[in-house]
Amino acid sequence: MRLLIVDDHALFRDGLRSLLEARGIEVVGEAANGREAVELARQLKPDIVLLDLTMPEVDGLTATRILVTELPEVKVVVLTASDDEADLFESIKSGAYGYLLKNLEADEFFRVPEAVQSGLPVFTPHLARRVLQEFGREGVHRPEGPALTERERELLELLVQGVTSNRERAQRLFISENTVKHHLRNIMTKLHLENRAQVIACALRTGLVRTRPDEPPRS
């Protein structure tokens, strides 16, 4: 697992690098702003980018949009001091795989890389509840376009529940892995989305599923 740290405070980057490397996680580089983050990600192809929001030159949200568009295989996780709901919701819409606050407990933080690598969006239970309270209430606008089939809704529920592998999804639904992939492509096409993180965020935001992710990411 290879990580890129992006923050405009050198002392914070140094401390985070030391913590990660002590756990055997490779930090392939550091960037002080969004422009450097995009340039290094293009060169180094990290698995995960841990990225602050408030930075000079290019801010974190802009960098997230660029990275998600150009390097969809790279997972972006926002790690910030901002508890602002607008930042949280905009990060989700921009394609971030997670949103974490810098006051996160160390044990909880170290569950994040594995969860992200498994394709699971990561939020603290508190932030996940705020997303649901804002976007999951009755009367929220639902995505336009063709309605999802019953099977697609069942698959969407498994995604939100954190079932990470196509094999397990196939076993749960008594279908083949190829059929699971086919349904996933259909879901993303119908919802006009590009990756599973956006699909899960959309499902929570629009009330397409009832599952409430109140538990922290599983290790």
Side-chain angles (χ1 to χ4, degrees):
M1 194 182 308
R2 304 166 71 250
L3 272 72
L4 173 65
I5 299 173
V6 186
D7 195 286
D8 59 334
H9 292 94
L11 188 61
F12 179 80
R13 295 197 308 270
D14 290 344
L16 190 57
R17 174 190 281 270
S18 296
L19 287 172
L20 289 166
E21 290 181 340
R23 293 291 185 104
I25 298 173
E26 181 183 4
V27 177
V28 297
E30 299 178 15
N33 57 61
R35 178 185 56 77
E36 292 180 5
V38 172
E39 291 174 355
L40 283 177
R42 288 168 177 161
Q43 297 170 20
L44 301 172
K45 301 295 192 299
D47 299 308
I48 299 172
V49 176
L50 293 174
L51 177 141
D52 194 11
L53 289 181
T54 306
M55 295 181 294
E57 297 193 41
V58 175
D59 62 64
L61 285 175
T62 301
T64 296
R65 296 185 188 107
I66 295 171
L67 291 168
V68 168
T69 301
E70 292 191 12
L71 302 167
E73 71 279 6
V74 176
K75 310 298 192 301
V76 178
V77 175
V78 173
L79 182 61
T80 180
S82 173
D83 194 28
D84 187 88
E85 289 188 350
D87 287 336
L88 168 62
F89 302 143
E90 194 60 35
S91 295
I92 296 171
K93 290 187 287 184
S94 296
Y97 256 69
Y99 192 101
L100 302 170
L101 299 180
K102 289 182 176 178
N103 61 2
L104 190 69
E105 294 291 336
D107 287 344
E108 191 171 2
F109 171 74
F110 285 117
R111 290 196 291 267
V112 169
E114 185 177 348
V116 174
Q117 196 172 47
S118 299
L120 297 176
V122 288
F123 304 92
T124 62
H126 171 66
L127 292 179
R129 283 192 291 272
R130 286 171 60 179
V131 172
L132 289 170
Q133 288 165 0
E134 176 66 18
F135 289 138
R137 62 180 183 272
E138 290 186 5
V140 72
H141 175 70
R142 296 180 181 273
E144 297 179 359
L148 298 183
T149 66
E150 185 62 30
R151 180 63 81 195
E152 288 165 353
R153 286 180 180 275
E154 290 173 349
L155 181 56
L156 191 56
E157 289 178 0
L158 292 180
L159 283 170
V160 174
Q161 290 167 15
V163 179
T164 60
S165 73
N166 284 336
R167 175 178 296 181
E168 185 175 355
R169 295 173 193 135
Q171 291 172 345
R172 295 276 194 99
L173 298 177
F174 302 100
I175 57 179
S176 70
E177 290 185 49
N178 285 337
T179 302
V180 168
K181 295 175 184 177
H182 173 73
H183 286 318
L184 282 172
R185 286 194 297 270
N186 283 346
I187 291 170
M188 287 189 281
T189 298
K190 288 180 178 181
L191 300 180
H192 308 290
L193 300 172
E194 298 178 353
N195 57 55
R196 281 180 288 181
Q198 292 177 350
V199 167
I200 293 170
C202 178
L204 298 176
R205 185 170 68 244
T206 62
L208 283 171
V209 296
R210 297 177 180 276
T211 306
R212 302 178 65 88
D214 291 337
E215 298 300 323
R218 293 194 294 271
S219 59

